[in-house]
Amino acid sequence: MPRLLIAAFALLLAGCSAAPEPTPVSSEATTRTSEQFSDQELQAKWWTWAASSPENRNPVVDDTGQWCGENQPEDVWFFAGTFGGAVNRRCPVPAGRPLAGPALNLASTDANCAAFMEAAKGSVTLDGQLVELRRIAPVAITYQAAKDNVVGQSEGRVAAQGCGLWAWIPSLKPGEHELVVKGASGGFSTSARYLLTVSSAD
């Protein structure tokens, strides 16, 4: 099975034993603002983004932020964890763009997703404030995988069950912001710290 699907990103992250364990998210937790995408749309769009570039310029493998803008859609700015380990990324973000991404997620079978979510814990903080997470149980999704994609899928459309703990953040004020993403399920854990610079609107 592809390393991504097993791990998290299977996203987002193994091997951060020094980091504090994230606070569990209840099934009732939702974002404070209305979602622009359904459970299927959000995950399919994110996975298409994650599978749109090879390892040498993929934003999930990136450990500095140099590729965080790669293939970003025009209506949302996606963030990600890693395939294992902790990273620090510096990224520019366009003005007026909402942010979305998982504290932890998986695209696999219904059974694998159910087991993954049973132990899933995660948190997303923005400028030190917790962001409420949207818990998505296994739901059928279809996403597009590019040639030589990092998720290990063949080029073309991929059908899977998507699940995870997801954050939706309204567009940020111009300036600098800190976004911290953490997640864990079983022996897998993830941690990514973003230093975001939001541009001024034209």
Side-chain angles (χ1 to χ4, degrees):
M1 178 177 290
R3 61 173 179 171
L4 174 76
L5 301 184
I6 296 175
F9 215 48
L11 184 89
L12 297 158
L13 303 137
C16 299
S17 57
E21 190 169 289
T23 301
V25 178
S26 71
S27 59
E28 291 77 24
T30 59
T31 50
R32 294 176 182 273
T33 57
S34 60
E35 300 292 349
Q36 290 191 3
F37 306 126
S38 68
D39 291 351
Q40 291 91 342
E41 291 171 328
L42 176 62
Q43 295 184 100
K45 200 174 184 74
W46 187 92
W47 277 101
T48 294
W49 169 73
S52 66
S53 53
E55 186 169 357
N56 65 348
R57 61 174 191 272
N58 188 277
V60 184
V61 178
D62 179 17
D63 60 0
T64 66
Q66 64 175 325
W67 301 112
C68 57
E70 185 80 356
N71 297 326
Q72 287 282 359
E74 295 183 356
D75 52 355
V76 65
W77 194 90
F78 283 130
F79 57 84
T82 73
F83 296 134
V87 297
N88 288 286
R89 297 169 177 152
R90 290 182 174 272
C91 304
V93 178
R97 193 84 60 88
L99 280 63
L104 191 76
N105 70 332
L106 180 69
S108 186
T109 65
D110 186 85
N112 286 343
C113 247
F116 183 77
M117 292 303 295
E118 186 174 348
K121 297 176 285 187
S123 64
V124 173
T125 60
L126 176 66
D127 297 331
Q129 299 297 310
L130 279 171
V131 176
E132 286 191 274
L133 298 181
R134 175 181 181 180
R135 189 180 188 94
I136 300 179
V139 61
I141 62 171
T142 302
Y143 64 93
Q144 188 71 29
K147 183 179 180 180
D148 299 325
N149 64 83
V150 74
V151 305
Q153 294 290 349
S154 299
E155 181 180 7
R157 297 186 68 77
V158 179
Q161 291 288 315
C163 56
L165 303 174
W166 291 83
W168 180 275
I169 302 171
S171 59
L172 304 176
K173 294 180 179 179
E176 295 187 349
H177 300 273
E178 181 187 55
L179 180 72
V180 179
V181 180
K182 294 183 179 181
S185 180
F188 178 83
S189 64
T190 178
S191 178
R193 177 175 177 259
Y194 282 85
L195 294 178
L196 306 176
T197 301
V198 180
S199 58
S200 299
D202 293 336

